[in-house]
Short mmCIF file of all heavy atoms in Angstrom, two decimals:
data_model
loop_
_atom_site.label_atom_id
_atom_site.label_comp_id
_atom_site.label_asym_id
_atom_site.label_seq_id
_atom_site.Cartn_x
_atom_site.Cartn_y
_atom_site.Cartn_z
N TRP A 186 9.28 3.01 7.94
CA TRP A 186 10.71 2.70 7.75
C TRP A 186 10.98 1.21 7.91
O TRP A 186 11.95 0.68 7.37
CB TRP A 186 11.56 3.50 8.74
CG TRP A 186 11.51 4.98 8.52
CD1 TRP A 186 10.76 5.89 9.19
CD2 TRP A 186 12.23 5.74 7.52
NE1 TRP A 186 10.97 7.17 8.68
CE2 TRP A 186 11.86 7.10 7.67
CE3 TRP A 186 13.15 5.40 6.53
CZ2 TRP A 186 12.40 8.12 6.87
CZ3 TRP A 186 13.68 6.41 5.73
CH2 TRP A 186 13.30 7.75 5.90
N GLU A 187 10.12 0.53 8.71
CA GLU A 187 10.41 -0.89 8.94
C GLU A 187 10.35 -1.70 7.64
O GLU A 187 10.97 -2.76 7.54
CB GLU A 187 9.45 -1.46 10.01
CG GLU A 187 7.97 -1.59 9.63
CD GLU A 187 7.17 -0.27 9.72
OE1 GLU A 187 7.77 0.81 9.87
OE2 GLU A 187 5.92 -0.33 9.62
N ILE A 188 9.63 -1.18 6.63
CA ILE A 188 9.52 -1.96 5.39
C ILE A 188 10.83 -1.93 4.58
O ILE A 188 11.35 -2.99 4.24
CB ILE A 188 8.28 -1.51 4.58
CG1 ILE A 188 7.01 -1.86 5.40
CG2 ILE A 188 8.24 -2.18 3.20
CD1 ILE A 188 5.70 -1.50 4.74
N PRO A 189 11.40 -0.73 4.29
CA PRO A 189 12.70 -0.80 3.61
C PRO A 189 13.79 -1.47 4.45
O PRO A 189 14.68 -2.11 3.89
CB PRO A 189 13.04 0.68 3.33
CG PRO A 189 12.14 1.48 4.21
CD PRO A 189 10.90 0.66 4.39
N ILE A 190 13.70 -1.36 5.77
CA ILE A 190 14.70 -2.04 6.62
C ILE A 190 14.59 -3.56 6.42
O ILE A 190 15.57 -4.27 6.29
CB ILE A 190 14.52 -1.65 8.11
CG1 ILE A 190 14.94 -0.18 8.31
CG2 ILE A 190 15.32 -2.57 9.04
CD1 ILE A 190 14.65 0.39 9.68
N GLU A 191 13.34 -4.04 6.36
CA GLU A 191 13.13 -5.48 6.14
C GLU A 191 13.57 -5.87 4.72
O GLU A 191 14.12 -6.96 4.52
CB GLU A 191 11.65 -5.82 6.40
CG GLU A 191 11.24 -7.25 6.13
CD GLU A 191 11.96 -8.32 6.96
OE1 GLU A 191 12.68 -7.98 7.92
OE2 GLU A 191 11.84 -9.52 6.60
N LEU A 192 13.35 -4.97 3.76
CA LEU A 192 13.80 -5.27 2.39
C LEU A 192 15.32 -5.44 2.36
O LEU A 192 15.86 -6.35 1.73
CB LEU A 192 13.37 -4.15 1.44
CG LEU A 192 13.67 -4.40 -0.04
CD1 LEU A 192 12.81 -5.53 -0.60
CD2 LEU A 192 13.43 -3.14 -0.87
N LYS A 193 16.03 -4.56 3.07
CA LYS A 193 17.49 -4.65 3.17
C LYS A 193 17.92 -5.97 3.81
O LYS A 193 18.92 -6.54 3.43
CB LYS A 193 18.00 -3.55 4.12
CG LYS A 193 18.57 -2.33 3.47
CD LYS A 193 18.93 -1.36 4.61
CE LYS A 193 19.32 -0.01 4.12
NZ LYS A 193 20.59 -0.01 3.41
N ARG A 194 17.15 -6.40 4.81
CA ARG A 194 17.50 -7.65 5.48
C ARG A 194 17.31 -8.83 4.53
O ARG A 194 18.11 -9.74 4.48
CB ARG A 194 16.63 -7.83 6.74
CG ARG A 194 17.14 -8.90 7.70
CD ARG A 194 16.16 -9.17 8.81
NE ARG A 194 14.93 -9.79 8.34
CZ ARG A 194 14.80 -11.08 8.05
NH1 ARG A 194 15.81 -11.90 8.21
NH2 ARG A 194 13.65 -11.56 7.62
N ARG A 195 16.23 -8.77 3.74
CA ARG A 195 15.96 -9.91 2.87
C ARG A 195 16.84 -9.91 1.63
O ARG A 195 17.17 -10.96 1.11
CB ARG A 195 14.49 -9.90 2.44
CG ARG A 195 13.57 -10.15 3.62
CD ARG A 195 12.28 -10.79 3.19
NE ARG A 195 11.23 -10.46 4.12
CZ ARG A 195 9.95 -10.64 3.87
NH1 ARG A 195 9.56 -11.14 2.73
NH2 ARG A 195 9.04 -10.31 4.78
N ILE A 196 17.18 -8.71 1.10
CA ILE A 196 18.02 -8.65 -0.10
C ILE A 196 19.18 -7.68 0.18
O ILE A 196 19.17 -6.53 -0.30
CB ILE A 196 17.24 -8.18 -1.36
CG1 ILE A 196 15.82 -8.78 -1.39
CG2 ILE A 196 17.99 -8.53 -2.63
CD1 ILE A 196 14.96 -8.34 -2.58
N PRO A 197 20.17 -8.11 0.96
CA PRO A 197 21.21 -7.17 1.41
C PRO A 197 21.98 -6.52 0.26
O PRO A 197 22.47 -5.41 0.39
CB PRO A 197 22.15 -8.03 2.26
CG PRO A 197 21.40 -9.29 2.55
CD PRO A 197 20.37 -9.47 1.48
N GLU A 198 22.09 -7.21 -0.89
CA GLU A 198 22.92 -6.64 -1.97
C GLU A 198 22.15 -5.65 -2.85
O GLU A 198 22.69 -5.07 -3.76
CB GLU A 198 23.56 -7.77 -2.80
CG GLU A 198 22.61 -8.70 -3.55
CD GLU A 198 21.91 -9.75 -2.67
OE1 GLU A 198 21.96 -9.66 -1.43
OE2 GLU A 198 21.27 -10.65 -3.25
N LEU A 199 20.85 -5.45 -2.56
CA LEU A 199 20.04 -4.53 -3.39
C LEU A 199 20.18 -3.08 -2.88
O LEU A 199 19.86 -2.80 -1.73
CB LEU A 199 18.57 -4.95 -3.30
CG LEU A 199 17.56 -4.03 -4.00
CD1 LEU A 199 17.67 -4.14 -5.52
CD2 LEU A 199 16.12 -4.38 -3.56
N PRO A 200 20.65 -2.16 -3.73
CA PRO A 200 20.72 -0.76 -3.26
C PRO A 200 19.30 -0.19 -3.05
O PRO A 200 18.39 -0.50 -3.83
CB PRO A 200 21.42 -0.01 -4.39
CG PRO A 200 21.93 -1.05 -5.34
CD PRO A 200 21.15 -2.31 -5.10
N ILE A 201 19.15 0.63 -2.02
CA ILE A 201 17.85 1.29 -1.78
C ILE A 201 18.10 2.78 -1.64
O ILE A 201 18.96 3.20 -0.86
CB ILE A 201 17.17 0.82 -0.48
CG1 ILE A 201 17.08 -0.70 -0.41
CG2 ILE A 201 15.77 1.41 -0.37
CD1 ILE A 201 16.29 -1.21 0.78
#
Side-chain angles (χ1 to χ4, degrees):
W186 295 100
E187 68 280 12
I188 295 181
I190 290 173
E191 176 60 11
L192 185 68
K193 259 177 189 292
R194 194 187 67 79
R195 294 207 207 166
I196 321 179
E198 63 284 12
L199 175 71
I201 308 186

